[in-house]
Amino acid sequence: MTNAAISVRGLQKSYKDLHVLRGVDFEVQKGSIFALLGSNGAGKTTVVRILSTLLKADAGTATVQGHDVSSAPLEVRQSISLTGQFAAVDEVLTGRENLVLVAKLRHLPDAGRIADDLLAKFRLTDAGGRKAGTYSGGMRRRLDIAMSLVGRPEVIYLDEPTTGLDPEARIEVWDVVKELANTGTTVLLTTQYLDEAEQLADRIAILHEGRIIANGTLADLKQLLPAAKVEYVEKQPTLEEIFLTLVGTGKENAA
């Protein structure tokens, strides 16, 4: 599709006898939020590492903003930013100093103005002069995402961005992610939290045992289950029910 910011076809990756990805296919449209949903070990982070040019696939192709991750890694890196599962902020530096440092590393002019603009965008202006080590979990994560946006990347990968956060901090991050999409940034979000995918994503792909077993809007995925049984009121299936029906309860994998 011509409007795809990310296109993945037949992606495979193994570590000796462990087959992590078994032919993954999906597309992410420009300016959208795409959630890659799966349990721990499903292969989500491996997909992100390949799309970030940090890892080579064994087979298949992937393009980001039209650039092949294998043959044009530099162009891909110039188009993307990655926020991993754990905040990468320097806790000794202030919030503003963290942002200034990233801007200078990217050789951008007027690093101070860039830092101040991002502090304002992420509601961190009042805390900008404090050491990042004093920030709450939600503030630290917001700063981490702000650092990822220095240089205005067209595509941002958020690899389980709310892991370990309390409910209030998670909502803060959700608001940030929604704002990113509203301003035209393409977001690839990996998560194991079903409500997160349900709240944020324009499209959801369920990754299970190295394969995409479902891909569509929330409404599309709801159609995969039988119509709601009407007794007194109609109960629509939740994303959790869809997920567990498609991948099983996981009890057989618990050992």
Side-chain angles (χ1 to χ4, degrees), residues 165-244:
L165 298 184
D166 60 43
E168 184 177 0
R170 289 181 70 204
I171 293 172
E172 290 179 359
V173 174
W174 289 358
D175 290 341
V176 167
V177 174
K178 291 174 183 177
E179 179 61 24
L180 289 177
N182 288 339
T183 56
T185 303
T186 303
V187 179
L188 172 60
L189 169 77
T190 74
T191 184
Q192 58 182 310
Y193 298 130
L194 307 177
D195 58 338
E196 188 158 272
E198 193 166 8
Q199 285 286 330
L200 294 177
D202 299 303
R203 293 184 68 85
I204 301 164
I206 297 178
L207 182 64
H208 181 61
E209 296 182 347
R211 293 187 176 92
I212 300 291
I213 60 173
N215 185 348
T217 65
L218 181 58
D220 292 336
L221 298 185
K222 286 183 176 181
Q223 296 301 313
L224 298 176
L225 296 190
K229 180 180 179 181
V230 178
E231 293 179 347
Y232 298 102
V233 295
E234 180 178 303
K235 180 181 181 296
Q236 290 293 331
T238 66
L239 182 56
E240 182 174 6
E241 290 170 335
I242 296 167
F243 178 84
L244 293 177

Side-chain angles (χ1 to χ4, degrees), residues 83 87 89 99 118-125 127 135-149 161 165 168-177:
T83 297
V89 304
L99 291 164
L118 286 168
L119 288 171
K121 180 182 180 68
F122 286 87
R123 305 188 307 279
L124 291 169
T125 298
Y135 286 11
S136 67
M139 292 170 66
R140 191 178 292 112
R141 180 53 87 182
R142 296 206 315 268
L143 176 62
D144 195 27
I145 296 174
M147 291 164 62
S148 296
L149 292 180
L165 298 184
E168 184 177 0
R170 289 181 70 204
I171 293 172
E172 290 179 359
V173 174
W174 289 358
D175 290 341
V176 167
V177 174

Side-chain angles (χ1 to χ4, degrees), residues 100-116:
V100 168
L101 176 62
V102 174
K104 287 183 175 179
L105 289 173
R106 288 181 175 267
H107 305 290
L108 299 176
D110 205 353
R113 179 188 57 78
I114 293 171
D116 291 336

Side-chain angles (χ1 to χ4, degrees), residues 1-9 25-30 32 34 63-67 203 215-217 220:
M1 297 177 68
T2 57
N3 202 39
I6 302 170
S7 181
V8 174
R9 290 285 178 269
D25 301 277
F26 65 85
E27 287 189 340
V28 181
Q29 299 304 298
K30 293 180 180 179
S32 69
F34 185 92
T63 61
V64 180
Q65 294 294 106
H67 306 297
R203 293 184 68 85
N215 185 348
T217 65
D220 292 336

